[in-house]
Amino acid sequence: MFVRIGVLLAVTVAGFVLLQQWIRGLEAAATVDVFHALGVGSVSRGYQASIIVDARSHGPFAAILTPACSSLASLLALGGLAVLRPTGARGRLALAVGAAMAVVFVGNIARIAASIGVGLLTGPSALVLFHDWVGSLFAFAYTLGGFVLMMWFLLPRDGVALDDLCLAPADGVRHES
């Protein structure tokens, strides 16, 4: 078990290092797409993981998505928790992890968009304040929400013993001897 946890930690750190630039760029692009879908043209993609905001009454500014702003840490944490779960049906696990990660990714886009929206309306100082205080609550809520959703998919239903669920073969068919 300790070797498994050690490998998981190494893979998680490597995953963060290798994926953080790419995921931040993806999150920046998705946030800009949200504003464009809402008809807000004064928000555009900057270089790499930055968003250029032209808040006409407050002047233009750049919002830079740092590694701490990304959902990658939460996504990797959920993936790590999934790896450490008891054995069970793989299809159910894939659904659980996919749903949890979707909640986290979309939640983070909503957090970034809300912060940018506050910056558009009231200026970059308010964006920073909103990001630091309300954004932290957003991050906690969507990560916890994703984890609870994952557990909802993985935990047994009424009338199914946990031992039966954990000992179910990967193909989902119980073979009696």
Side-chain angles (χ1 to χ4, degrees), residues 35-58:
F35 280 101
H36 290 176
L38 295 172
V40 179
S42 58
V43 177
S44 60
R45 179 88 191 273
Y47 179 70
Q48 290 184 343
S50 65
I51 299 170
I52 307 302
V53 181
D54 185 10
R56 298 197 196 308
S57 58
H58 304 287

Side-chain angles (χ1 to χ4, degrees), residues 18-29:
L18 294 172
L19 296 173
Q20 60 93 16
Q21 186 66 37
W22 177 77
I23 196 83
R24 288 187 299 134
L26 183 64
E27 289 168 330

Side-chain angles (χ1 to χ4, degrees), residues 70-176:
S70 176
S71 63
L72 183 58
S74 294
L75 296 171
L76 291 170
L78 288 171
L81 290 169
V83 168
L84 296 176
R85 66 50 185 116
T87 58
R90 287 195 180 110
R92 190 171 178 174
L93 175 64
L95 177 64
V97 173
M101 288 184 166
V103 166
V104 168
F105 186 80
V106 170
N108 196 49
I109 299 304
R111 179 184 67 86
I112 296 167
S115 296
I116 299 277
V118 166
L120 264 171
L121 296 174
T122 58
S125 297
L127 178 151
V128 172
L129 185 63
F130 182 89
H131 170 271
D132 290 349
W133 290 94
V134 179
S136 296
L137 293 174
F138 264 70
F140 176 75
Y142 65 66
T143 302
L144 183 60
F147 177 72
V148 167
L149 181 64
M150 185 171 77
M151 291 291 90
W152 182 80
F153 277 111
L154 292 177
L155 290 176
R157 305 291 182 253
D158 289 339
V160 178
L162 183 59
D163 288 342
D164 291 341
L165 181 69
C166 292
L167 298 175
D171 62 8
V173 177
R174 191 168 272 308
H175 304 278
E176 299 296 326

